Amino acid sequence: QVQLVESGGGLVQAGGSLRLSCLASGSISSIGTMAWYRQAPGKQRELVAEITSGGARNYADSVKGRFTISTNNTRNILWLQMNSLKPEDTAVYYCVRNQYFQRYWGQGTQVTVSS
């Protein structure tokens, strides 16, 4: 089993920055894709950014140039640096880890951007 715990969410004004963290524990593997998803009220959950075990990064068009996904050498911590935040970035952000054909989700952390 894998446990994921997010932190770093909060309330920020538009134009501000936040850094989300996700700490993984348990039977974690260095192989697999890690990602951040988000879900805004009344909307479907969407992929924000992902990073492969090879280090390739993909971003949703809505966050390109503003968000950066990264991880440490042991791949047990995942970060999402969010700059130039907009009110439409308001959502619950989830950390996701894919390994051994299983997907693990964190409990989510709320990000609220005020205008």
Side-chain angles (χ1 to χ4, degrees), residues 2-75:
V2 173
Q3 295 79 42
L4 303 173
V5 178
E6 301 101 332
S7 61
L11 174 64
V12 64
Q13 287 189 331
S17 298
L18 282 175
R19 190 190 198 199
L20 305 183
S21 300
C22 174
L23 178 62
S25 60
S27 302
I28 59 176
S29 169
S30 61
I31 300 173
T33 299
M34 297 185 291
W36 288 96
Y37 281 71
R38 69 185 180 187
Q39 186 167 22
K43 294 188 177 181
Q44 288 188 332
R45 195 169 294 187
E46 64 175 352
L47 175 67
V48 176
E50 63 181 358
I51 183 168
T52 69
S53 52
R57 295 168 171 83
N58 297 301
Y59 297 93
D61 287 343
S62 59
V63 308
K64 280 180 181 176
R66 300 188 297 122
F67 291 10
T68 302
I69 189 171
S70 61
T71 186
N72 61 342
N73 287 339
T74 53
R75 292 174 58 87

Side-chain angles (χ1 to χ4, degrees), residues 59-114:
Y59 297 93
D61 287 343
S62 59
V63 308
K64 280 180 181 176
R66 300 188 297 122
F67 291 10
T68 302
I69 189 171
S70 61
T71 186
N72 61 342
N73 287 339
T74 53
R75 292 174 58 87
N76 68 316
I77 304 175
L78 183 69
W79 294 286
L80 184 69
Q81 178 67 43
M82 305 186 294
N83 299 327
S84 302
L85 283 161
K86 304 176 181 179
E88 51 264 44
D89 294 318
T90 295
V92 177
Y93 285 71
Y94 299 91
C95 172
V96 172
R97 193 177 189 100
N98 300 296
Q99 60 181 54
Y100 303 131
F101 305 105
Q102 289 191 307
R103 171 166 289 184
Y104 300 92
W105 292 81
Q107 83 287 353
T109 185
Q110 176 70 46
V111 171
T112 303
V113 184
S114 63

